[in-house]
Amino acid sequence: MKSSSSLRIRLILAALIWVAAGMVAAYFLLSSIFRYHAETQFYHELDVHVEELQGLASWEDRDVSLVSPFSDPRYDVPRSGYYWQIQRGEDVALRSPSLGNSALIMPEDRPEVGVLPHRHRVEGPTGTAFVAERLERAGDGEVLRFIVGTDKRELDAMVSSFNRILMLALAGLGILLLAAAAGLVSLGLAPFGRLAKSLRQLRAGETMSVEGDFPREVRPLVDELNALLETGRENLKQARVQAGNLAHGLRGSLSVIADEAGQLAETPTCQTASGTILEETRRMQRHIDHHIARARAAAVARMPGVRTPLAEAVQALAAAMRRINANSPVRLTLDVPENLYVACDPQDFSEILGNLVENAYRYARRSVHVSARFDEDGEMISLRVEDDGPGLPIEAHQVVLQPGARWDEARSGSGLGLAIVNEMVSLYGGQTKLEDASQGGLRVHLLLPGGKA
């Protein structure tokens, strides 16, 4: 089953998910850590201001005052979010200008006098405030509460600013990490790209083995594949030898039968039987050629690396056909570019083209034309062999492609020529079409895998 998914895309998506998850987790973790430390720093600053307030305070009887102004001017700005107040018991004895007529509502719990500052969160004039307080006992025994507070919104603004910067920083880091992951994926998969390219060259017949510089992890796969290809080639050679031996043995026996039939033809009473034997002998010979060619093509078609230069093969066959038909009025013309090749075994391609040209010569009146073009969309070679003979009716096109079928029974032949061509072309992953030629005869149109050299 062919998968449309890409390993590269899947790895990059996995990296994207992990990077995004890591960035989100880092965002919340770092934001929480920053908030904790910022809040701690806020309380630390409040502790310092409480100590300052306590040191500046002076009281006689029930009057409380500051011996000098508070050092931080923000406590003097109305509703600035920075507040202090001094309470005597439950009454506010003194407050910062920033509070105006308001007051910080403190909880009822009271720490013991003299301990470390006590911390609260209370409602202030402008929202929730962080508060630190210290207690000191006055001369009349009443407790003085020194209170300093800062709006929570100050911390929230600081954390929000930090979060924006953190988000941008983590987004940039995430993009860099994702780019690095994509680079690593591409670098890691690069050997497989070279392997795929080498396999395409092998399939196109440009090389006989998988070649290239591969890392140690991929090299064993390449070596095993090359060993498998070499074993296949050796098995193919042995199969061809055995097929040749079988054909030779059968042809020898058929030659003897044909010779005996020829001698019988000299006897008047045996002429009919002799003719029948000779006809059947020729038919058997064609069947033997058909099945041996089919078996050879079936083996070769599955072997990568087979390749035949098209122009060279066509020109060689044309020269042979012109010699054989030297006395024929038929003229053979070619229109085949030099840079094309077909992914077929040279011997099989010669048999395919030989059958087509031989048939064309048989039925042509004056001309046979062979042409070829490269179909870039389908990466196929379009090969046409046409003649100016009588042609075939449309209903005969499928009939003559069947083994042993002949449309014109009056003509000699076994009816295997086009059938052999059709079967061998199919074995190589191609297609055979019969069409009407522009000169009125038959055009055999083949589509075979191939390309430009």
Side-chain angles (χ1 to χ4, degrees), residues 359 363 365 387-401 405-409 411 418 433-437 440-444:
N359 279 344
Y363 293 98
R365 295 187 179 95
D387 60 69
D388 62 348
L392 283 173
I394 189 68
E395 59 268 20
H397 288 181
Q398 292 302 319
V399 174
V400 297
L401 294 178
R406 287 187 292 139
W407 184 253
D408 187 357
E409 297 292 342
R411 288 182 177 267
L418 287 176
K433 301 177 182 178
L434 300 184
E435 304 166 348
D436 293 331
L442 178 67
R443 177 191 295 136
V444 182

Side-chain angles (χ1 to χ4, degrees), residues 29 57 63 73 88 119 154 192 246 318 344 381 408 424 431:
L29 178 62
D63 294 329
R88 180 187 287 273
R119 295 168 177 175
E154 300 293 332
F192 294 98
L246 176 62
C344 298
I381 296 297
D408 187 357
M424 293 180 71
Q431 188 177 0

Side-chain angles (χ1 to χ4, degrees), residues 242-311:
Q242 293 175 5
N245 292 339
L246 176 62
H248 180 73
L250 291 174
R251 287 193 184 104
S253 299
L254 289 175
S255 297
V256 172
I257 294 174
D259 185 62
E260 292 294 328
Q263 294 180 16
L264 286 175
E266 298 176 0
T267 305
T269 59
C270 298
Q271 288 181 352
T272 302
S274 173
T276 302
I277 293 173
L278 287 174
E279 178 64 23
E280 292 301 319
T281 301
R282 284 193 291 270
R283 189 183 300 275
M284 291 172 63
Q285 180 65 56
R286 294 288 291 180
H287 276 288
I288 291 170
D289 292 342
H290 169 235
H291 288 291
I292 289 178
R294 184 184 184 281
R296 184 180 65 245
V300 177
R302 290 170 173 82
M303 285 296 298
V306 291
R307 180 177 183 178
T308 300
L310 189 59

Side-chain angles (χ1 to χ4, degrees), residues 218-263:
V218 181
R219 193 73 235 179
L221 174 63
V222 174
D223 293 340
E224 289 294 330
L225 183 57
N226 285 333
L228 182 62
L229 291 171
E230 184 61 30
T231 301
R233 281 192 285 269
E234 291 298 324
N235 292 338
L236 178 60
K237 290 179 183 178
Q238 295 177 11
R240 282 190 158 181
V241 170
Q242 293 175 5
N245 292 339
L246 176 62
H248 180 73
L250 291 174
R251 287 193 184 104
S253 299
L254 289 175
S255 297
V256 172
I257 294 174
D259 185 62
E260 292 294 328
Q263 294 180 16

Side-chain angles (χ1 to χ4, degrees), residues 40-55:
T40 301
Q41 183 62 33
F42 261 58
Y43 277 120
H44 177 71
E45 185 177 354
L46 292 176
D47 293 344
V48 173
H49 286 316
V50 166
E51 291 181 4
E52 180 185 4
L53 180 63
Q54 189 175 6

Side-chain angles (χ1 to χ4, degrees), residues 87 89-90 107-112 118 133 135 143 145:
Q87 291 183 205
E90 298 297 330
E108 294 183 0
D109 61 315
R110 295 185 178 183
E112 295 182 3
H118 193 198
E133 69 170 337
L135 279 74
V143 175
R145 300 179 71 178

